[in-house]
Amino acid sequence: MERRVVITGIGAITSIGNNVPEYWEALSQGKSGIEKITLFDASQFTSQIAGEVKGFEPEKYIDKKEARRMDRFAQFAMAATSETIRDSKLDLSKEDTKRIGVLLGSGIGGLGTIEKEHKVLLEKGPRRVSPFLIPMLIIDMASGLVSIKYGLKGPNSAVVTACASAAHALGDSYKIIQRGDAEVMITGGTEGAITPLGLAGFCSMKALSTRNDDPHKASRPFDKERDGFIMAEGAGIIILESLEHAKSRGAKVYAEVVGYGMSGDAYHMTAPAPEGEGAANAMQMALDDAKMKPEEVEYINAHGTSTSLNDKYETMAIKKIFGEYAKKIPVSSTKSMTGHLLGAAGGVELIACLLALEKGIIPPTMNYKYPDPECQGLDFVPNQARKKEVKVAMSNSFGFGGHNAVLIIKKLEK
């Protein structure tokens, strides 16, 4: 008998709020976190705007000395984890820590550290490169540091599947608990790649919006005038628990995780498969895993990057799986406000789904002004949050390399 898995804690660091209440308030009010880049001088770049985390002070969450030995992406993970543990009211002193694991995703990892130390290598020579370079840049260190700080000795791993990383980490953690290998998993994603090299790489791919004079309107998923995505940073960390364990400690339950689908496009390094074939496969797998009909899903948080191909093919994939019902289901992209958190996107977006279930409010797709004929026939919840009771939500995440991950959550039935 497969065990049931629930969500009992959430933590978020985003461009629109450094904790979950701030994040949700901005989402539900349609506020954008996209601004001119301040982390470095971006005046020579074609895209000069991003969803930066604002006013972040790592010392609030981590010892000052330890914080200096962590890349920004790991600092975000530690900060969001401290919030999610507080939120879950999990008393680790009373738990068997061999039954609590950590599985965090990141698409890029410690890029800022690589850039900084490469400069040291070129200017001062190899002896001056930091001994912390390698531990600071490797993606699994976010999971490692969380487990070290809290003494968690259960399953410990990391996921790297570009923009699907957090969603895969969440889905894999769900399966780890379901099969009995852990009682609790701290999971989600983190990213801190708004650096000169990161921005330059995406600019050279012509993947980013160049609407530099109007940053709040630059991310416009499914809109005919969209011209690329917006880089963003932050973390979305979630606590998953077996239902039995959550009940035994009287935990508040946000929702139950009921479906997870993962597929590969086998098509192209960066472009999605034609007509969203891989995305559709993952959605169908998630529905099959949840033993649900398409009509039971009441909200889709789309991957919705604001790029030409993703939005078009995701629309086609939703229509393929949901058929006639596709016209009735609210679909929104919260990236229109946060920007694209890359490997952390699936974490903050699943939190948006959870809060939509809890609050009865669906966050909007902002900047939807000119309907794209290639993305027609869906209800994109344009420009304004909508009051609606939601029992079941789906969250889509698709990454470079053709990695697709889809999660389904539902309100816990008493």
Side-chain angles (χ1 to χ4, degrees):
M1 176 83 175
E2 287 181 341
R3 302 186 328 152
R4 292 170 70 186
V5 179
V6 295
I7 294 165
T8 57
I10 51 179
I13 299 269
T14 72
S15 65
I16 54 174
N18 290 0
N19 54 53
V20 169
E22 287 176 9
Y23 167 60
W24 176 252
E25 187 179 346
L27 269 192
S28 54
Q29 291 179 13
K31 286 185 180 170
S32 171
I34 315 302
E35 306 280 357
K36 286 272 189 180
I37 289 170
T38 64
L39 291 166
F40 56 91
D41 177 7
S43 58
Q44 300 301 304
F45 294 76
T46 52
S47 181
Q48 300 163 12
I49 52 180
E52 291 179 347
V53 169
K54 299 157 189 77
F56 177 69
E57 297 172 37
E59 304 80 37
K60 281 186 177 175
Y61 313 95
I62 320 154
D63 174 78
K64 203 169 184 176
K65 187 178 173 186
E66 285 177 30
R68 283 202 302 272
R69 296 171 175 179
M70 288 180 201
D71 188 85
R72 192 167 167 88
F73 88 104
Q75 292 175 349
F76 289 151
M78 296 294 274
T81 298
S82 69
E83 183 184 12
T84 195
I85 289 176
R86 268 198 322 276
D87 182 49
S88 73
K89 297 185 170 56
L90 191 65
D91 183 350
L92 294 171
S93 68
K94 294 178 179 169
E95 297 291 338
D96 176 0
T97 51
K98 293 195 290 295
R99 300 286 294 155
I100 303 177
V102 187
L103 177 48
L104 302 179
S106 182
I108 297 178
L111 190 59
T113 297
I114 295 171
E115 287 176 53
K116 183 180 163 205
E117 294 301 323
H118 184 247
K119 190 167 184 276
V120 171
L121 173 68
L122 295 181
E123 292 176 0
K124 299 179 180 175
R127 291 172 188 269
R128 298 294 294 278
V129 169
S130 168
F132 295 102
L133 166 65
I134 302 301
M136 284 172 74
L137 73 87
I138 52 180
I139 282 172
D140 67 303
M141 197 51 69
S143 294
L145 288 167
V146 167
S147 81
I148 291 164
K149 174 161 183 172
Y150 296 102
L152 308 176
K153 298 172 183 173
N156 193 289
S157 187
V159 176
V160 187
T161 47
C163 306
S165 299
H168 276 126
L170 283 152
D172 292 350
S173 295
Y174 157 58
K175 292 298 176 186
I176 285 169
I177 296 172
Q178 199 178 61
R179 67 177 179 250
D181 289 347
E183 292 295 341
V184 179
M185 291 293 293
I186 294 174
T187 181
T190 185
E191 203 76 85
I194 302 172
T195 70
L197 191 61
L199 184 68
F202 281 123
C203 283
S204 292
M205 284 172 67
K206 299 191 167 36
L208 300 179
S209 170
T210 56
R211 208 179 283 260
N212 297 318
D213 297 328
D214 198 1
H216 288 181
K217 296 201 168 79
S219 181
R220 37 199 321 122
F222 306 106
D223 183 272
K224 190 169 184 281
E225 302 281 301
R226 67 190 183 276
D227 70 329
F229 78 85
I230 309 287
M231 277 188 85
E233 61 179 0
I237 312 289
I238 290 169
I239 287 185
L240 300 186
E241 234 174 293
S242 71
L243 179 59
E244 299 91 332
H245 188 272
K247 278 182 171 174
S248 73
R249 65 181 192 88
K252 172 188 170 174
V253 171
Y254 282 97
E256 182 175 5
V257 184
V258 291
Y260 173 42
M262 58 194 303
S263 71
D265 283 354
Y267 175 68
H268 188 270
M269 284 168 69
T270 56
E275 300 187 15
E277 181 198 359
N281 289 344
M283 282 189 256
Q284 187 59 57
M285 288 174 74
L287 286 165
D288 292 345
D289 187 41
K291 299 177 179 63
M292 279 185 174
K293 299 188 184 76
E295 295 76 27
E296 292 177 74
V297 177
E298 296 172 324
Y299 167 55
I300 299 173
N301 186 291
H303 189 55
T305 56
S306 185
T307 56
S308 171
L309 288 180
N310 173 87
D311 296 4
K312 171 180 154 182
Y313 288 151
E314 186 171 12
T315 300
M316 293 170 88
I318 290 168
K319 286 179 178 175
K320 180 179 177 182
I321 297 304
F322 289 87
E324 273 300 301
Y325 177 63
K327 296 173 188 169
K328 297 177 183 172
I329 185 168
V331 178
S332 71
S333 171
T334 44
K335 289 183 179 74
S336 58
M337 295 167 275
T338 62
H340 190 349
L341 279 83
L342 310 175
V348 296
E349 287 160 17
L350 194 70
I351 291 171
C353 290
L354 284 173
L355 294 169
L357 263 63
E358 184 180 62
K359 313 278 190 189
I361 295 171
I362 294 175
T365 302
M366 295 305 292
N367 306 316
Y368 185 75
K369 195 172 177 185
Y370 306 104
D372 184 347
E374 294 193 304
C375 301
Q376 276 187 335
L378 297 185
D379 171 8
F380 291 119
V381 195
N383 306 313
Q384 201 168 337
R386 182 182 302 166
K387 285 190 174 178
K388 184 182 188 294
E389 285 303 312
V390 178
K391 289 195 187 73
V392 179
M394 173 183 277
S395 184
N396 289 345
S397 297
F398 313 128
F400 284 174
H403 305 288
N404 308 302
V406 175
L407 295 157
I408 299 175
I409 58 169
K410 69 182 282 194
K411 277 187 175 174
L412 185 67
E413 290 169 358
K414 302 290 185 229

